[in-house]
Amino acid sequence: MTTNIKPLNADRLIDPTRRNLLIGGSAVGLAGFLGGGIWMASAETLPPNNLLGFNGIAASTADDVVIVPGYRAEVLISWGEPLVEGAAAFDPHGNNSAADQEKQFGDNNDGMSFFPIDDRHGVMAINNEYVNEQYLFAHGGSKATSLEDVRKSQAAHGVSIVAVKRVGDSPRWELDRSSRYNRRITANTAMQLSGPAAGHPLLKTAADPSGHKVLGTFGNCANGKTPWGTYLTCEENFDTYFGTKQADYQTTAEQKRYTLKVHEPERNWSDYDERFDIAKHPHEFNRHGWIVEIDPMNPTSTPIKHTALGRFKHENAAVTVANDGRLVVYMGDDERGEYIYKYISKGKVDVSNPANNRSLLDEGQLYVAQFDADVNGIPLQGKGRWIALVFGENGLTPENGFHDVAEVLIFARKAATQVGATRMDRPEWIAVNPHDGRAYCTLTNNSKRGEEGMPLNAANPRPNNIYGQIIRWDEGGDATAVNFSWNMYALCGNPIAYPEGVNRGTPNITVANTFNSPDGLGFDKAGRLWILTDGKYSNKGDYVGQGNNQMLVGDPHSGEIRRFMVGPKSCELTGIAFTPDYKTLFVNVQHPGEEGDSHFPDNSPRPRSSVLMITREDGGVIGA
Ligand code: FEO
Ligand code: CA
Ligand code: CA
């Protein structure tokens, strides 16, 4: 399916002016975050840029995708597309049933990975994070009003496994509906719990006295990919699915820590599906908030929830292999003031025998990050360390409410607080630069920073942080190290609204590239940093000149950032996957028209979240 997405007119191009940039860190020094809130630039000049092979484009408020000239963005698949032969066609008025939705592409696609089969065939695993009820249900209301509504919603959540085939000899791909790999994994798919917390009393329910068998995954935000070819999907806002009508039900401190609001659940599954009634089945809540491993190449495989990686609002799982062969996974917990984690496996990756890797995500050590200020007071840089979350150490003891290793993992947030981790500005995606091993993390925003209980700190230095920042850390080339140094790749801001001061941002933020709320993040093979935003799109006031949500590309060395693509109205751009030749880039348009203002992608009465396929008209490498 192809839409009428056009490249941006050349007259809207911005030729980015070369200017003196400064970013934190050793390559280019940033000097002076003064008490008065003024950012001062050093006078170092950018080296010539040969990593970013295109000119940045202007911001856009159009209800369309705009992209750098010479590139094509087309829709690969949209919410409701039938995934298997014989499945019902998408109904643009919301009349598809729950049973129909179980065989259709899910809603609100987010993180995703591409798994090649051969040069002409591949399988994509694509998260379906949540639903826009007003478009999902024929009645157009914001709440499910029947069990059928709830089942349809559950069927639109989870993960879609989508087979694709190359179109001719081009870098374009299309859905391969006849493939045996096409599969839906939903909020009701049978899964296994594994690792140290599996079988723990806190994970046992009436339906599963073993504590090993769980139904479904939902709130699947972003993702990761293992070296042995499996997909990791990350459970984020799982709390919004639980509630109760029992008026006197009191939430526990542990439930509150995961922001459970029982009497005003955002999605009222609990009204019609008893499993989500927290008063009746309190432990069901503990069975979500994990990282789930899926084998996309085995359509009958059972997904596995790996408890060793901790329970929190997982954004993504940035996987790397350390020099000694151990697996390392960096993870963010997306909530104001929550933490950044790292997991190190006990065993080593064995790519020659995938079966030998099965225990790597079950046996290992979880750590949480502490970011310290620079000893000389230089802003936007410092040292840090990873603190191990070990039962019996650092106060993770029965006196403080931790009775075994499982409780440390199930209540990872509480454990991280206990050991003194640094409260961050909503950690979203993490990506590891393949050239130097430095990890980058988007801290999307934090309106509560600077308020009581959320003081400023070196890594989160801005009160009422409405723009966010991208922080990076360097472990000296050893991903298993417990110490690191860090600096700020970008403190986002808006030089149009704020020509000076902390809301201007670091000098690599310009009038030409200004954006807010960095979220999705990924490196390509050449080391270009792809940045996707999920922020405010009013284009007014603090956000003037920033337009719709967008994708930008950064040079890790010079710090330069250029705008590559802009999404349609009231969407977020998220998810990033390349084919092995880096000539096709897949990016998601999520929740277009959540404000009722979009007809993306096909002028349907209901806008549809969609996977975009980006190629170059000359067939070249994306971004080069
Ligand atoms: Fe699903 Fe934190 O974004
Ligand atoms: Ca996100
Ligand atoms: Ca976000």
Side-chain angles (χ1 to χ4, degrees):
M1 189 168 60
T2 304
T3 64
N4 56 347
I5 296 165
K6 302 272 193 320
L8 196 65
N9 290 335
D11 61 4
R12 290 172 67 191
L13 278 179
I14 291 173
D15 192 3
T17 49
R18 288 288 160 73
R19 59 180 66 209
N20 295 340
L21 288 197
L22 57 95
I23 55 173
S26 52
V28 192
L30 182 140
F33 174 37
L34 303 182
I38 299 167
W39 292 92
M40 306 266 302
S42 75
E44 291 178 83
T45 306
L46 273 180
N49 185 316
N50 51 20
L51 198 56
L52 309 183
F54 61 92
N55 290 324
I57 59 170
S60 163
T61 57
D63 187 30
D64 208 346
V65 174
V66 289
I67 193 164
V68 165
Y71 284 80
R72 264 186 311 242
E74 307 165 73
V75 170
L76 177 76
I77 190 170
S78 299
W79 158 55
E81 190 72 19
L83 274 188
V84 292
E85 303 284 7
F90 173 70
D91 180 84
H93 303 286
N95 291 309
N96 283 124
S97 66
D100 293 345
Q101 179 64 70
E102 282 174 8
K103 294 179 178 172
Q104 295 172 331
F105 187 63
D107 200 359
N108 274 276
N109 36 300
D110 201 318
M112 61 184 164
S113 296
F114 183 96
F115 297 87
I117 296 174
D118 58 32
D119 190 42
R120 309 199 62 81
H121 299 87
V123 173
M124 297 183 70
I126 306 171
N127 287 351
N128 299 115
E129 186 181 21
Y130 68 106
V131 299
N132 288 106
E133 281 87 349
Q134 72 271 33
Y135 301 131
L136 182 75
F137 301 136
H139 59 66
S142 63
K143 296 272 186 189
T145 58
S146 64
L147 179 60
E148 166 69 12
D149 276 0
V150 170
R151 292 287 185 242
K152 186 176 181 185
S153 175
Q154 291 170 339
H157 280 74
V159 178
S160 296
I161 309 292
V162 178
V164 291
K165 57 186 179 192
R166 191 183 286 279
V167 178
D169 291 324
S170 77
R172 297 177 60 246
W173 297 73
E174 63 187 1
L175 172 63
D176 184 0
R177 194 170 285 132
S178 64
S179 168
R180 70 184 186 93
Y181 294 111
N182 292 313
R183 179 185 184 188
R184 281 304 320 282
I185 290 161
T186 73
N188 286 308
T189 300
M191 309 201 168
Q192 187 190 330
L193 282 153
S194 75
H200 190 275
L202 285 167
L203 298 186
K204 293 178 179 174
T205 62
D208 171 32
S210 77
H212 282 276
K213 293 178 182 169
V214 56
L215 291 183
T217 185
F218 39 86
N220 303 83
C221 189
N223 64 306
K225 193 177 177 183
T226 67
W228 54 93
T230 59
Y231 183 69
L232 302 178
T233 182
C234 304
E235 298 180 340
E236 189 189 25
N237 296 312
F238 62 95
D239 55 307
T240 61
Y241 298 87
F242 292 85
T244 187
K245 284 197 156 132
Q246 190 181 306
D248 61 352
Y249 183 79
Q250 299 285 328
T251 44
T252 65
E254 283 81 10
Q255 290 168 345
K256 283 199 184 87
R257 184 61 199 269
Y258 290 87
T259 66
L260 180 63
K261 296 178 190 71
V262 288
H263 298 306
E264 66 255 33
E266 215 172 300
R267 311 183 189 283
N268 52 344
W269 289 5
S270 52
D271 284 4
Y272 301 97
D273 185 347
E274 193 188 285
R275 180 157 70 101
F276 296 91
D277 187 321
I278 193 85
K280 292 183 176 141
H281 303 286
H283 289 176
E284 183 66 18
F285 188 59
N286 298 335
R287 291 145 61 90
H288 304 277
W290 302 103
I291 284 184
V292 189
E293 184 180 17
I294 295 168
D295 183 353
M297 298 302 183
N298 181 354
T300 60
S301 57
T302 302
I304 302 168
K305 296 199 180 196
H306 288 288
T307 63
L309 283 79
R311 175 172 165 266
F312 44 90
K313 295 191 184 178
H314 283 282
E315 183 74 17
N316 83 330
V319 177
T320 191
V321 180
N323 298 332
D324 69 0
R326 283 184 285 169
L327 189 80
V328 174
V329 188
Y330 300 100
M331 301 170 283
D333 180 355
D334 180 7
E335 191 102 61
R336 295 183 192 98
E338 290 297 340
Y339 307 119
I340 295 173
Y341 297 81
K342 169 163 102 168
Y343 171 85
I344 306 176
S345 69
K346 184 164 169 252
K348 295 178 181 180
V349 175
D350 181 356
V351 283
S352 63
N353 187 354
N356 287 350
N357 299 314
R358 288 290 171 206
S359 66
L360 295 181
L361 293 169
D362 288 332
E363 295 170 19
Q365 181 59 51
L366 187 64
Y367 297 77
V368 66
Q370 190 176 63
F371 291 79
D372 298 325
D374 184 274
V375 288
N376 298 314
I378 300 172
L380 305 189
Q381 65 179 53
K383 301 277 189 215
R385 65 188 182 114
W386 295 104
I387 307 170
L389 298 174
V390 178
F391 171 64
E393 294 179 13
N394 283 323
L396 301 178
T397 54
E399 306 86 80
N400 293 317
F402 300 97
H403 299 91
D404 51 35
V405 62
E407 290 190 5
V408 170
L409 297 169
I410 296 168
F411 305 124
R413 284 183 165 183
K414 194 172 86 167
T417 298
Q418 181 69 44
V419 304
T422 300
R423 303 191 74 187
M424 309 300 286
D425 287 343
R426 296 187 54 200
E428 300 249 27
W429 290 52
I430 300 173
V432 179
N433 187 333
H435 293 278
D436 61 16
R438 284 183 179 161
Y440 290 62
C441 178
T442 45
L443 299 168
T444 197
N445 56 55
N446 184 353
S447 56
K448 292 198 166 22
R449 180 62 69 185
E451 293 182 6
E452 197 182 343
M454 192 92 69
L456 307 185
N457 59 52
N460 303 273
R462 187 164 52 182
N464 183 27
N465 180 14
I466 59 171
Y467 297 116
Q469 63 260 31
I470 303 174
I471 195 169
R472 60 182 170 184
W473 56 90
D474 184 343
E475 298 170 324
D478 176 8
T480 67
V482 293
N483 295 304
F484 58 86
S485 56
W486 64 268
N487 63 46
M488 208 67 83
Y489 176 70
L491 188 77
C492 305
N494 190 344
I496 305 170
Y498 296 98
E500 298 181 337
V502 291
N503 279 339
R504 190 219 166 281
T506 39
N508 55 344
I509 303 300
T510 66
V511 166
N513 71 15
T514 179
F515 60 96
N516 73 87
S517 306
D519 188 339
L521 204 59
F523 277 97
D524 63 24
K525 193 177 168 190
R528 284 176 284 267
L529 177 64
W530 296 78
I531 305 162
L532 299 94
T533 72
D534 169 23
K536 297 280 202 250
Y537 38 70
S538 68
N539 205 37
K540 291 192 293 219
D542 291 334
Y543 309 102
V544 65
Q546 297 185 331
N548 298 345
N549 276 306
Q550 54 191 285
M551 178 163 67
L552 309 102
V553 190
D555 181 328
H557 307 291
S558 69
E560 183 171 3
I561 297 170
R562 296 183 187 175
R563 188 180 292 118
F564 181 85
M565 187 173 85
V566 185
K569 282 188 182 294
S570 61
C571 80
E572 147 187 5
L573 293 183
T574 184
I576 177 162
F578 287 94
T579 48
D581 59 7
Y582 289 86
K583 293 180 175 176
T584 318
L585 164 62
F586 300 96
V587 174
N588 290 317
V589 173
Q590 196 193 42
H591 61 72
E594 65 175 358
E595 300 293 333
D597 52 0
S598 176
H599 295 285
F600 184 84
D602 48 11
N603 279 321
S604 144
R606 295 176 182 222
R608 301 162 76 184
S609 291
S610 302
V611 180
L612 293 182
M613 171 174 63
I614 294 160
T615 52
R616 265 170 71 162
E617 284 164 4
D618 66 4
V621 169
I622 306 297

